[in-house]
Amino acid sequence: MPIFWRRVLFFGTTLLLAALGTLIFVDLLVRVYGSMSGPSVLFSMVFAVLFSLLCFGFTMSVTGFLVSRWPQFNITHTLTPEDEKIVPDLTAVVFPIYNEEVSEVFERVRRTYLSLQKTGRLDRFEFFILSDSTSSDVWLEEEETWARLCRELDAFGRIFYRHRALNTNSKAGNIADFCRTWGGRYSYMIVMDADSFMEGATMVKLALLMQKHPRIGIVQTAPKLIGAVSLFGRIQQFSNQAYGSLFTAGLNFWQGPEGNYWGHNAIIRVRSFTDYCGLPDLPGKEPFGGKILSHDFVEAALMRKAGWEVWLAWDLGGSFEEGPESLIAYAQRDRRWMQGNIQHGWLLFAKGLHPMSKVHLGTGILGYLVSPLWLGFLFLSTLIVYRQQRSGLSLVPANGLLNDFFPHLSVTGQAALLLGLTALMLFSPKILFVLRAIANPQLRRSFGGLRSILKSILCEFVLSTLLAPVLMLLHTKFFVYMFSGLSVRWGTQARGATGTAWPVAVRAHLAQTILGIVWTAWAISLGWAVFFWSLPVLLGLLVAVPLSRFTSSPDVGNAMHRAGVMVCAHGKPSPPQGAEEDDDDARARDDFRPYYGFSRAVVDPYLNAIHVSLLDQPADAQPADRQLAEILVAEGPASLSEKDLKAILQDGETLLKLHRRIWASELLSLAPWWRRVITRYRR
């Protein structure tokens, strides 16, 4: 089926369902209230937007279910056994990182490297760890771990490390700097994230796809969530692995070569990306203008504008990432994404962008407008009931538009019809996944069996229902922050399952709990029917604090997993297998905190040489002030600011002189700090 008719079928079905649901809803309001007042008209408009988005997701999941067995729609279907003999051009595998847990990042690099080595195609790939870390200790630990990894794998000259002196424009600037500096050597680059892992066979197939199709600019994989430990993380992981392929198959059906880029786990044609995907500054200041925060959607749109195809290889396995382990970490990430996506509103009116690119940008914006719209819908529904009660008038059912078609349909029956239609759309991914699991024994076993699947779906439904109103208020708060001019910077993402402390949960959710109490009192004052109708929303707000704490707990997540709930095909990856830190090293790290890394870079000959050799010094960099070095030797690192210490670390000549001077001086002539460091180092 040509792509044009696929889109006509998909969007036509979506609009037809949306129009039907909206008609039933408007007719129901007319039958109940007799006419459409101002609040009712606004109420209907908000419903139309929300229901249209629900229909969009429903149509996508059903489409994915129906076409997932039709490989002719997939770009991966074009690869033949003969293509396996193709020798792809050189490909860079880039890991942009920013103040991450060093051992975990390099373990993912190690696993990816070894998996690629097993394919026999390692010679066509080179790895880059592109650091934007601002913490001196993290920066120095990255260098040491890189050197250790290269020794372990005999990978010097194949795994490279670069620390950027000026981390302009965050991750987008990091990748752009790589393309300008080293991109000319490579035809393609596979962009990873700090929490990404990809199997070698998948990477080879991506390179072969690019080699075979010279008009493809980007191939995006559909990474599966792995590594979840907490209950919140396991809910996200189960939903991603169980329902994700339904949506991605449906997405691929209508987008075809006008796909999207999600910022990682994708292969990109380097020359085209460099030539056409430079990000413009948006008009005005942040949060709505300035630097584009969510760069990936825009880069895909610019690539397509230049005539290059962008595909989603949804059926290509072996692509993984990790997700947030708590509600608070998830919300913090969403705040950055919300600002970045809403910035895309400027580009909806840009000339030259493909219409499908604008659809991607528009749906990305609407995805974050759902929360304030949903809150508005709930408020308007309560307000309409309140006004009706204040009026003192009795409800007299009137004739509606649908009476001619369904003369015996009561108001209650019509409300039940709309509720049933909505429930069907909400539950369709769960129903379709169960059907797939029943028909596929291997899929069923990978999720722990049918009983485990049903328990997981029930648990996921209950917890998602409770979490949804909490996220609604968090997103609405972020939306208000944006319109108040409060911007957010792209910072370090919270990773790992450590559990949310009670004080942190109270600070994050106290306002939502108070609103839930006030709203509950208002609903009860309007009648018990209104209260029970609102209870699914109110209950999540009332228990927001313990819910956030409970779902972030690794112990709870592990207990649920042992009970056969949230069992997934891909679980926790193996722990880091790098060199273990012995007790003496651990004590030294604690004793010399927060200058452990800096002190080793000065004292240790090997680390000093590594650091100096890896320095990325700008052409206009100024040497460190000589007086700083004198103060450092005489009084120790505590006498200098973090800025001064970074200036010394960035000046290779000064650092070499410091190393020689510390070792050549009599111990008694040095500051007590350096005497302690050298004594411990010798031991």
Side-chain angles (χ1 to χ4, degrees), residues 70-128:
W70 299 350
Q72 59 266 35
F73 297 127
N74 307 333
I75 189 63
T76 52
H77 177 64
T78 61
L79 285 179
T80 65
E82 285 297 314
D83 294 328
E84 299 292 333
K85 301 175 184 177
I86 296 175
V87 178
D89 292 343
L90 202 58
T91 302
V93 184
V94 299
F95 286 82
I97 58 177
Y98 179 77
N99 293 332
E100 304 287 345
E101 182 62 41
V102 177
S103 61
E104 294 185 2
V105 170
F106 280 83
E107 171 61 14
R108 297 183 191 104
V109 176
R110 189 187 73 85
R111 292 175 63 211
T112 303
Y113 185 93
L114 290 176
S115 178
L116 189 57
Q117 192 174 49
K118 292 177 182 178
T119 67
R121 297 293 187 94
L122 182 61
D123 62 316
R124 308 312 302 158
F125 296 83
E126 293 178 354
F127 286 64
F128 285 81

Side-chain angles (χ1 to χ4, degrees), residues 411-426:
V411 170
T412 304
Q414 189 167 337
L417 174 64
L418 183 61
L419 182 63
L421 183 62
T422 303
L424 174 64
M425 292 186 178
L426 286 172

Side-chain angles (χ1 to χ4, degrees), residues 2 22 74 101 117 165 190 210 268 271 292 466 486 575:
T22 303
N74 307 333
E101 182 62 41
Q117 192 174 49
I190 297 177
M210 299 296 277
I268 299 174
R271 179 64 182 273
I292 295 177
L466 293 173
L486 296 176

Side-chain angles (χ1 to χ4, degrees), residues 451-472:
R451 181 177 297 180
S452 177
I453 288 173
L454 295 176
K455 289 191 295 184
S456 299
I457 289 176
L458 178 61
C459 178
E460 179 259 333
F461 168 70
V462 171
L463 290 173
S464 296
T465 301
L466 293 173
L467 289 167
V470 182
L471 282 169
M472 172 190 69

Side-chain angles (χ1 to χ4, degrees), residues 42 49-50 144 162 176 218 266 324 357 386 414 421 601 608:
L42 184 59
V49 176
L50 292 174
E144 181 181 2
R162 184 271 281 135
I218 301 176
S357 296
Y386 173 74
Q414 189 167 337
L421 183 62
N608 180 270

